[in-house]
PDB file of all heavy atoms in Angstrom:
ATOM      1  N   PHE A 197     -33.207 102.372 112.436  1.00  0.00           N
ATOM      2  CA  PHE A 197     -31.792 102.138 112.072  1.00  0.00           C
ATOM      3  C   PHE A 197     -30.902 101.838 113.244  1.00  0.00           C
ATOM      4  O   PHE A 197     -31.099 102.407 114.301  1.00  0.00           O
ATOM      5  CB  PHE A 197     -31.402 103.578 111.515  1.00  0.00           C
ATOM      6  CG  PHE A 197     -29.948 103.526 110.818  1.00  0.00           C
ATOM      7  CD1 PHE A 197     -29.885 103.209 109.460  1.00  0.00           C
ATOM      8  CD2 PHE A 197     -28.887 103.757 111.604  1.00  0.00           C
ATOM      9  CE1 PHE A 197     -28.642 103.175 108.908  1.00  0.00           C
ATOM     10  CE2 PHE A 197     -27.661 103.590 111.065  1.00  0.00           C
ATOM     11  CZ  PHE A 197     -27.475 103.369 109.696  1.00  0.00           C
ATOM     12  N   ASP A 198     -30.094 100.875 113.012  1.00  0.00           N
ATOM     13  CA  ASP A 198     -29.287 100.466 114.141  1.00  0.00           C
ATOM     14  C   ASP A 198     -27.933 101.259 114.218  1.00  0.00           C
ATOM     15  O   ASP A 198     -26.976 100.846 113.611  1.00  0.00           O
ATOM     16  CB  ASP A 198     -29.102  98.905 113.974  1.00  0.00           C
ATOM     17  CG  ASP A 198     -28.392  98.295 115.204  1.00  0.00           C
ATOM     18  OD1 ASP A 198     -27.964  99.105 116.080  1.00  0.00           O
ATOM     19  OD2 ASP A 198     -28.427  97.178 115.369  1.00  0.00           O
ATOM     20  N   PHE A 199     -27.875 102.323 114.928  1.00  0.00           N
ATOM     21  CA  PHE A 199     -26.767 103.054 115.127  1.00  0.00           C
ATOM     22  C   PHE A 199     -25.545 102.337 115.730  1.00  0.00           C
ATOM     23  O   PHE A 199     -24.477 102.600 115.428  1.00  0.00           O
ATOM     24  CB  PHE A 199     -26.997 104.426 115.811  1.00  0.00           C
ATOM     25  CG  PHE A 199     -28.080 105.266 115.062  1.00  0.00           C
ATOM     26  CD1 PHE A 199     -29.426 105.263 115.358  1.00  0.00           C
ATOM     27  CD2 PHE A 199     -27.552 106.106 114.014  1.00  0.00           C
ATOM     28  CE1 PHE A 199     -30.308 106.165 114.700  1.00  0.00           C
ATOM     29  CE2 PHE A 199     -28.418 107.001 113.313  1.00  0.00           C
ATOM     30  CZ  PHE A 199     -29.774 106.836 113.627  1.00  0.00           C
ATOM     31  N   ASN A 200     -25.926 101.531 116.657  1.00  0.00           N
ATOM     32  CA  ASN A 200     -24.851 100.897 117.359  1.00  0.00           C
ATOM     33  C   ASN A 200     -24.037  99.934 116.437  1.00  0.00           C
ATOM     34  O   ASN A 200     -22.867  99.931 116.461  1.00  0.00           O
ATOM     35  CB  ASN A 200     -25.437  99.954 118.580  1.00  0.00           C
ATOM     36  CG  ASN A 200     -25.809 100.829 119.681  1.00  0.00           C
ATOM     37  OD1 ASN A 200     -25.445 102.000 119.834  1.00  0.00           O
ATOM     38  ND2 ASN A 200     -26.745 100.184 120.514  1.00  0.00           N
ATOM     39  N   THR A 201     -24.819  99.189 115.505  1.00  0.00           N
ATOM     40  CA  THR A 201     -24.067  98.304 114.730  1.00  0.00           C
ATOM     41  C   THR A 201     -23.313  99.160 113.729  1.00  0.00           C
ATOM     42  O   THR A 201     -22.123  98.889 113.318  1.00  0.00           O
ATOM     43  CB  THR A 201     -25.181  97.531 113.819  1.00  0.00           C
ATOM     44  OG1 THR A 201     -25.930  96.783 114.783  1.00  0.00           O
ATOM     45  CG2 THR A 201     -24.393  96.521 112.925  1.00  0.00           C
ATOM     46  N   CYS A 202     -23.921 100.202 113.326  1.00  0.00           N
ATOM     47  CA  CYS A 202     -23.272 101.152 112.407  1.00  0.00           C
ATOM     48  C   CYS A 202     -21.952 101.690 112.913  1.00  0.00           C
ATOM     49  O   CYS A 202     -20.899 101.562 112.192  1.00  0.00           O
ATOM     50  CB  CYS A 202     -24.080 102.288 111.991  1.00  0.00           C
ATOM     51  SG  CYS A 202     -23.412 103.309 110.693  1.00  0.00           S
ATOM     52  N   PHE A 203     -22.018 102.200 114.067  1.00  0.00           N
ATOM     53  CA  PHE A 203     -20.751 102.792 114.580  1.00  0.00           C
ATOM     54  C   PHE A 203     -19.779 101.787 115.144  1.00  0.00           C
ATOM     55  O   PHE A 203     -18.585 102.116 115.129  1.00  0.00           O
ATOM     56  CB  PHE A 203     -21.145 103.867 115.766  1.00  0.00           C
ATOM     57  CG  PHE A 203     -21.916 105.037 115.290  1.00  0.00           C
ATOM     58  CD1 PHE A 203     -22.717 105.695 116.269  1.00  0.00           C
ATOM     59  CD2 PHE A 203     -22.047 105.321 113.941  1.00  0.00           C
ATOM     60  CE1 PHE A 203     -23.534 106.771 115.825  1.00  0.00           C
ATOM     61  CE2 PHE A 203     -22.889 106.386 113.551  1.00  0.00           C
ATOM     62  CZ  PHE A 203     -23.593 107.106 114.472  1.00  0.00           C
ATOM     63  N   ARG A 204     -20.180 100.684 115.695  1.00  0.00           N
ATOM     64  CA  ARG A 204     -19.248  99.665 116.069  1.00  0.00           C
ATOM     65  C   ARG A 204     -18.721  98.775 115.127  1.00  0.00           C
ATOM     66  O   ARG A 204     -17.497  98.595 115.092  1.00  0.00           O
ATOM     67  CB  ARG A 204     -20.024  98.834 117.185  1.00  0.00           C
ATOM     68  CG  ARG A 204     -20.203  99.590 118.555  1.00  0.00           C
ATOM     69  CD  ARG A 204     -20.884  98.580 119.618  1.00  0.00           C
ATOM     70  NE  ARG A 204     -21.462  99.504 120.659  1.00  0.00           N
ATOM     71  CZ  ARG A 204     -22.501  99.079 121.369  1.00  0.00           C
ATOM     72  NH1 ARG A 204     -23.066  97.906 121.323  1.00  0.00           N
ATOM     73  NH2 ARG A 204     -22.938  99.941 122.285  1.00  0.00           N
ATOM     74  N   GLU A 205     -19.705  98.430 114.208  1.00  0.00           N
ATOM     75  CA  GLU A 205     -19.293  97.374 113.249  1.00  0.00           C
ATOM     76  C   GLU A 205     -19.329  97.817 111.781  1.00  0.00           C
ATOM     77  O   GLU A 205     -18.978  97.035 110.939  1.00  0.00           O
ATOM     78  CB  GLU A 205     -20.209  96.163 113.370  1.00  0.00           C
ATOM     79  CG  GLU A 205     -20.223  95.523 114.731  1.00  0.00           C
ATOM     80  CD  GLU A 205     -18.850  94.776 114.890  1.00  0.00           C
ATOM     81  OE1 GLU A 205     -18.363  94.231 113.962  1.00  0.00           O
ATOM     82  OE2 GLU A 205     -18.361  95.030 115.948  1.00  0.00           O
ATOM     83  N   GLY A 206     -19.450  99.091 111.543  1.00  0.00           N
ATOM     84  CA  GLY A 206     -19.467  99.540 110.201  1.00  0.00           C
ATOM     85  C   GLY A 206     -18.206  99.439 109.535  1.00  0.00           C
ATOM     86  O   GLY A 206     -17.235  99.429 110.097  1.00  0.00           O
ATOM     87  N   ILE A 207     -18.314  99.305 108.187  1.00  0.00           N
ATOM     88  CA  ILE A 207     -17.142  98.987 107.366  1.00  0.00           C
ATOM     89  C   ILE A 207     -16.572 100.388 106.975  1.00  0.00           C
ATOM     90  O   ILE A 207     -17.297 101.214 106.480  1.00  0.00           O
ATOM     91  CB  ILE A 207     -17.349  98.268 106.065  1.00  0.00           C
ATOM     92  CG1 ILE A 207     -18.190  97.007 106.502  1.00  0.00           C
ATOM     93  CG2 ILE A 207     -16.073  97.781 105.477  1.00  0.00           C
ATOM     94  CD1 ILE A 207     -18.968  96.379 105.495  1.00  0.00           C
ATOM     95  N   SER A 208     -15.199 100.472 107.194  1.00  0.00           N
ATOM     96  CA  SER A 208     -14.506 101.728 106.725  1.00  0.00           C
ATOM     97  C   SER A 208     -14.198 101.733 105.367  1.00  0.00           C
ATOM     98  O   SER A 208     -14.418 100.653 104.700  1.00  0.00           O
ATOM     99  CB  SER A 208     -13.387 101.926 107.788  1.00  0.00           C
ATOM    100  OG  SER A 208     -12.720 103.035 107.351  1.00  0.00           O
TER     101      SER A 208
END
Side-chain angles (χ1 to χ4, degrees):
Chain A
F197 185 93
D198 191 344
F199 294 97
N200 285 341
T201 306
C202 185
F203 296 162
R204 283 177 200 160
E205 293 297 316
I207 309 157
S208 168

